[in-house]
Amino acid sequence: MTPVVPRELPGIENGVSTTRVVAGAGADAGSQRRWHLLDTAPLLEREGITPVGTIVAVHGNPTWSYLWRGLVAASLERARAGGPAWRIVAVDQLEMGYSERTTLTRGLPQRIDDLGALIDDLDITGTLVTLGHDWGGPISLGWAVRHRDRVDAVAVLNTAVHHPAGMPLPTALRVAGARSLLATTTVKTTAFLDTTLALADPPLAPEVRAAYRAPYASSELRRGIGAFVADIPATPEHPSTPALDELAGGLVDLTVPALLLRGPRDPVFGEHHLDDLAHRLPRADVHRFEGAGHMLAEERPYADLVLDWLDDKGLSSGDADGAADARDTGERRIPTQQRDEDDDARPFVPIWQRLSDRRDDDDTAVVDLTRDVGGEPLDVSWRELAQRVDHLAAGFAAFGIRRGDRVSLLVQPGPTLTAVLYACLRIGAVVVVADRGLGVRGLSRAVRGTEPAFVIGERAGLAAARALGWPGRRISAPNLPAPAARALGVEASLAEIAASGSRGGVPAPPSADDEAAILFTSGSTGPAKGVVYTHAQLAALRDTLGSHFDVTPDVGLVTGFAPFALLGPALGTRSATPRMDVSAPRTLTATAVAEAVRASRARIVFLSPAAVANVCATAAALTPDDRAALAQVRTFLSTGAPVSIDLLRQAHELMPEAEAHTPYGMTECLLVTDITLDELERTQSAPDAGVCVGTPIGAGTVRISALDAVGRATGDLSDAPRITGEIVVSAPHLKRGYHRLWATDREAVRGTASHPGRWHRTGDVGHLDADGRLWVEGRLPHVVVTSDGPVTPVGPEQQIERVEGVRRAAVVGVGPRGRQVCVAVVETTPGARRPDLAPSALAERIRAASDTAIAAALVVPALPTDIRHNSKIDRSRLAAWAERVLAGEKPSAP
């Protein structure tokens, strides 16, 4: 039985849908089977376009080749535009889609045989790439493992080749696969089909949903859906288990380039399935589309990513030798990150070395003002800290933490986190740091996305891990009562780990190029991204910070900024954590800073902008002794977000002997440029728009990629003055890349290959002045593209903030890109009681103050900002809100 193929399929060009009769294979030998395909070869031939290779795309259950229509369209568009032309062959597996229905039960081994018979019949020559989704992943990879000499690259979307023993199948599959429900949910009704299609977010258009359902209109046509579910090898005794095990084991020897794509919101395939695939294909490129799910091909632009990836692998040239080279090595033709030319020449001193050098020193290493011991702040000596690190390192190794294992740290900054962090780094574990400022959902996404093997946390963090189902074996920071430990799944406490480590040895240290940490961005400009640092890059950050700010053993640091709260031991100087919640900078007071300075004899104070704001706001509570302590500070730093000159002036009044610095950086490169308050004062009369953030620190380099007329950063890297564009940076301490974000890594280094060193496109926009100083003018996604060209927001915002009655301003774009108009959204003094159009008098003053045409002005009680910094305005959110309000929607909080 073969369903009738419609003459037209929505979203697919005429001439692509075809059928083919192929001789059966395996248990189906001797038969002739009718396959339905989407094949672009006839169109390419008709248009005189020679393909560079063939992509064989295999769907899963219960979809069909229609899943790959986006790839078909994208490949044809590129081919017709003169780009590489890939032949796309998207198959309907037998029993599925519009292919033939038979009486044969097709398990995994048979389906791999079926695919092989089709590929042989197509007589494909040249470069061949397999692509699979869902159950099509094991089938396409199974063929590739059997034919290593014929396949040149493999790619999969949301799939798995191994399910851990003892772990239950996902609920949806357990329900559908239950013997009593299998026929009802998969064959007799459309329940399984409908449930799968409903996973797409946003929901499928009615015509797309109808197209997916069309070949499964009767129970007879749905038998293949039920057979696929029944073929899931949930037990060792299942007939398909040996084939799946053979496939999983064979992937280790598959050396061709591999691409693993995943939508994390998948109730079928979990993060552990991706982790397993990544371990079996260690050279694979991985990209996670945050927010997408099982129906990834319907939710995100995967097709362009796949085609870009093939370009980068050198497989789109039609060069058989190049394809063979890629097949033999699996290496990138164009690396996503270059190495610094002097990476190998630079001596590597591990991040923990200065702590080790002071291991016999009884002077203070760390002071924790958040914990009292006998009425005094907790004081930990260098000797005690070094010993604790050694014991924890040995204990972690005995517990099973190995080099390369990811360890999620859910511990507040202080001596405990410091010891745990350095112990993990010492044995080569990769620490995962995501602070509570991400919120529960953001933090959960971050932890799940890294699939940590271990979680070390305080009680609250472990409770969250348990409630939210985070992976990893649990270690508690405090000693917990046995019932609480059992309830939280805790296997050991840090005290127990250290006790066991006191009797053991510390393993060999990691190398400079080993991964050391995954630090998550704030999420203020999109989903938080995991930034990967190697040991060499962390060491370079320590050296840059120490050299630029002249940090010596006797200087001492007070750190109220989470990313730098742990660097004191690395710098070989004492450090203090003031009384505050480091993940909520607004909780820091002036009194707490003075207390920390006094307790640690610190001469350097490092605070986030939000913390500085609250410190200045609470200065009235300072005593004469507090002010005397602050007068001993010699260097004051604030970084992480723009800091106004007025705020720096106020901070300088509290620390009158300190040189005030406001370095510019980001999680990907924590120190890029620096400027002092004195230098900032001298820039006030400059004509430049934006915030001056100074000149590069150390060996760092800053270049600008100019914006084109539609607001894209397309210019070559330049150090010419007065050119506005994306800020692109290079430094020894620049991150290695992002965790499992191949496309994001690719974009971050776009257009930098011809420039020596490692580079990063920051997503910030700005310009260099004639003195080489960098001026930041906003974020690239916030550039307003008007009919007269792009407008960066910070310049007009600064002009508007000089208007009487305006406390803070944001300029956003409303309307279609290329014809946007600028809208000002402001906080006022006194504050507005509710969001609304600005009073006409205020609106006129705003328009008069701005050199940029302002189409409308709105007032709000408070502009939306990120949690970590409490200062980065969410202009994208504001723009969408302003568009709705100006379209007539009743104003509500943005």
Side-chain angles (χ1 to χ4, degrees):
M1 178 182 180
T2 305
V4 177
V5 183
R7 294 184 61 182
E8 293 186 356
L9 295 170
I12 298 175
E13 285 191 43
N14 290 332
V16 173
S17 174
T18 185
T19 59
R20 191 178 188 94
V21 176
V22 178
D28 210 17
S31 64
Q32 297 290 313
R33 300 302 185 194
R34 183 174 294 277
W35 291 70
H36 174 252
L37 316 172
L38 302 181
D39 188 352
T40 61
L43 285 186
L44 294 175
E45 183 177 358
R46 186 184 311 155
E47 297 180 29
I49 300 172
T50 302
V52 298
T54 302
I55 301 173
V56 177
V58 186
H59 67 85
N61 187 34
T63 57
W64 52 285
S65 60
Y66 191 68
L67 180 80
W68 306 113
R69 69 192 183 284
L71 180 63
V72 169
S75 66
L76 288 173
E77 181 180 359
R78 292 191 181 203
R80 289 163 175 160
W86 284 93
R87 176 190 182 186
I88 308 299
V89 176
V91 309
D92 284 8
Q93 298 193 57
L94 294 173
E95 325 297 340
M96 303 294 288
Y98 290 102
S99 286
E100 184 176 350
R101 283 11 178 212
T102 74
T103 59
L104 183 64
T105 299
R106 297 179 188 276
L108 176 60
Q110 181 60 43
R111 289 200 173 277
I112 296 174
D113 288 341
D114 292 341
L115 180 62
L118 175 65
I119 291 174
D120 290 344
D121 188 76
L122 289 168
D123 195 25
I124 295 172
T125 59
T127 303
L128 193 155
V129 178
T130 65
L131 173 64
H133 170 252
D134 186 80
W135 203 224
I139 294 167
S140 60
L141 291 173
W143 182 88
V145 166
R146 291 185 187 178
H147 300 87
R148 294 184 182 89
D149 60 328
R150 296 176 62 186
V151 69
D152 296 292
V154 297
V156 292
L157 286 66
N158 285 59
T159 192
V161 297
H162 173 74
H163 191 75
M167 179 179 287
L169 287 175
T171 302
L173 294 182
R174 289 205 308 275
V175 171
R179 187 180 298 274
S180 60
L181 295 175
L182 177 61
T184 300
T185 58
T186 61
V187 179
K188 293 180 182 179
T189 71
T190 59
F192 186 78
L193 173 61
D194 293 340
T195 299
T196 302
L197 297 179
L199 293 176
D201 185 15
L204 300 175
E207 64 274 16
V208 172
R209 183 181 178 84
Y212 271 119
R213 290 170 54 91
Y216 301 117
S218 69
S219 58
E220 190 70 16
L221 293 173
R222 290 193 293 270
R223 285 188 296 108
I225 295 176
F228 250 128
V229 174
D231 193 44
I232 297 171
T235 66
E237 297 76 27
H238 191 282
S240 287
T241 295
L244 191 64
D245 289 346
E246 178 186 359
L247 154 63
L251 285 180
V252 176
D253 299 319
L254 191 65
T255 59
V256 299
L259 177 65
L260 312 178
L261 303 181
R262 170 168 166 76
R265 296 176 60 187
D266 188 342
V268 181
F269 299 108
E271 210 68 41
H272 58 281
H273 291 124
L274 175 64
D275 217 39
D276 174 74
L277 270 171
H279 278 97
R280 296 177 190 277
L281 295 166
R283 288 180 288 186
D285 294 303
V286 183
H287 188 86
R288 298 172 72 257
F289 290 88
E290 196 60 63
H294 182 74
M295 295 292 286
L296 176 61
E298 295 290 347
E299 300 178 41
R300 294 293 188 273
Y302 81 97
D304 285 325
L305 190 153
V306 169
L307 296 172
D308 288 342
W309 177 76
L310 291 171
D311 289 349
D312 283 9
K313 293 299 176 186
L315 293 169
S316 297
S317 64
D319 176 5
D321 291 337
D325 289 344
R327 182 169 61 240
D328 292 340
T329 66
E331 294 177 354
R332 294 183 174 92
R333 284 295 190 89
I334 302 175
T336 55
Q337 276 288 13
Q338 310 95 327
R339 285 180 62 85
D340 282 332
E341 288 183 335
D342 58 346
D343 269 358
D344 295 321
R346 188 182 300 114
F348 170 62
V349 179
I351 190 94
W352 61 82
Q353 186 61 52
R354 291 172 192 170
L355 169 61
S356 181
D357 291 344
R358 299 190 68 171
R359 63 184 315 106
D360 297 324
D361 191 340
D362 289 318
D363 196 4
T364 298
V366 178
V367 182
D368 185 0
L369 279 298
T370 66
R371 295 175 60 188
D372 288 341
V373 178
E376 295 293 328
L378 177 62
D379 187 304
V380 180
S381 72
W382 292 99
R383 184 191 302 273
E384 291 168 329
L385 182 59
Q387 184 181 72
R388 184 69 166 178
V389 168
D390 285 348
H391 289 174
L392 285 174
F396 286 152
F399 188 71
I401 302 179
R402 300 287 181 261
R403 181 181 301 187
D405 284 345
R406 293 187 288 276
V407 181
S408 179
L409 304 183
L410 304 176
V411 182
Q412 281 283 79
T416 299
L417 178 58
T418 300
V420 170
L421 175 77
Y422 284 88
C424 287
L425 294 175
R426 175 62 183 78
I427 63 174
V430 181
V431 296
V432 178
V433 181
D435 68 51
R436 289 188 300 166
L438 294 177
V440 173
R441 290 181 61 188
L443 185 60
S444 190
R445 280 197 302 266
V447 173
R448 284 180 173 276
T450 56
E451 189 69 12
F454 300 87
V455 176
I456 303 173
E458 294 165 347
R459 191 165 186 160
L462 294 172
R466 184 75 167 185
L468 297 169
W470 295 345
R473 297 173 63 190
R474 311 290 204 264
I475 299 171
S476 64
N479 290 318
L480 297 175
R486 285 194 299 271
L488 296 174
V490 170
E491 297 182 45
S493 68
L494 287 179
E496 292 167 333
I497 293 286
S500 70
S502 66
R503 301 183 295 272
V506 180
S511 70
D513 289 333
D514 284 341
E515 287 187 10
I518 301 175
L519 311 179
F520 275 84
T521 61
S522 68
S524 60
T525 55
K529 299 182 286 291
V531 179
V532 179
Y533 278 90
T534 66
H535 283 270
Q537 288 149 11
L538 287 184
L541 173 62
R542 171 205 60 203
D543 295 343
T544 300
L545 181 65
S547 174
H548 185 73
F549 296 107
D550 193 23
V551 182
T552 62
D554 295 326
V555 164
L557 302 172
V558 168
T559 52
F561 184 48
F564 290 96
L566 299 162
L567 279 174
L571 291 160
T573 193
R574 62 187 173 277
S575 59
T577 303
R579 296 184 195 275
M580 67 175 298
D581 179 350
V582 177
S583 64
R586 287 172 291 180
T587 61
L588 182 62
T589 65
T591 300
V593 175
E595 179 190 26
V597 169
R598 199 162 39 238
S600 61
R601 310 184 308 281
R603 296 296 176 264
I604 300 179
V605 173
F606 208 142
L607 306 177
S608 72
V612 176
N614 201 55
V615 166
C616 294
T618 56
L622 290 172
T623 67
D625 285 347
D626 291 336
R627 292 186 180 276
L630 293 176
Q632 301 302 308
V633 176
R634 294 293 177 266
T635 304
F636 161 69
L637 299 86
S638 185
T639 188
V643 186
S644 72
I645 191 168
D646 288 337
L647 191 57
L648 285 177
R649 289 166 179 157
Q650 292 175 49
H652 187 256
E653 289 177 6
L654 299 180
M655 294 170 274
E657 300 301 319
E659 183 175 60
H661 293 255
T662 174
Y664 162 72
M666 62 285 305
T667 309
E668 294 86 346
C669 189
L670 289 164
L671 294 171
V672 176
T673 64
D674 182 36
I675 190 169
T676 66
L677 175 58
D678 288 344
E679 293 168 333
L680 200 54
E681 295 282 11
R682 291 194 290 271
T683 67
Q684 295 308 291
S685 59
D688 302 74
V691 176
C692 185
V693 294
T695 53
I697 294 174
T701 306
V702 174
R703 294 290 183 266
I704 301 296
S705 174
L707 299 181
D708 61 19
V710 293
R712 298 174 304 185
T714 55
D716 191 20
L717 305 193
S718 171
D719 61 357
R722 306 284 188 267
I723 293 176
T724 295
E726 184 174 14
I727 299 167
V728 189
V729 303
S730 178
H733 52 280
L734 177 67
K735 53 100 168 113
R736 194 199 71 179
Y738 292 108
H739 179 67
R740 294 183 174 172
L741 290 171
W742 177 84
T744 310
D745 271 330
R746 183 178 190 266
E747 173 60 22
V749 298
R750 175 177 53 84
T752 65
S754 61
H755 299 264
R758 296 180 300 111
W759 293 86
H760 170 68
R761 287 182 173 270
T762 65
D764 290 337
V765 288
H767 69 274
L768 296 167
D769 65 18
D771 296 318
R773 296 175 302 200
L774 176 64
W775 295 72
V776 178
E777 300 179 54
R779 292 284 298 167
L780 188 59
H782 302 156
V783 171
V784 182
V785 184
T786 72
S787 56
D788 295 326
V791 174
T792 55
V794 173
E797 288 170 357
Q798 290 173 320
Q799 293 174 331
I800 293 168
E801 286 172 352
R802 298 189 189 106
V803 171
E804 182 182 356
V806 173
R807 177 178 175 272
R808 193 161 57 154
V811 171
V812 298
V814 169
R817 191 172 179 85
R819 290 183 291 139
Q820 289 180 317
V821 295
C822 292
V823 173
V825 185
V826 302
E827 294 176 5
T828 58
T829 51
R833 296 179 60 187
R834 59 182 179 274
D836 206 344
L837 291 171
S840 57
L842 176 60
E844 286 305 315
R845 293 200 301 273
I846 287 172
R847 290 189 178 96
S850 173
D851 293 336
T852 300
I854 301 296
L858 301 166
V859 297
V860 292
L863 293 168
T865 59
D866 66 303
I867 297 174
R868 180 187 290 181
H869 305 287
N870 191 41
S871 56
K872 293 184 177 180
I873 297 171
D874 190 342
R875 294 186 184 89
S876 297
R877 178 173 156 190
L878 267 182
W881 172 83
E883 184 126 22
R884 295 194 303 270
V885 170
L886 294 175
E889 183 179 293
K890 183 178 179 181
S892 59

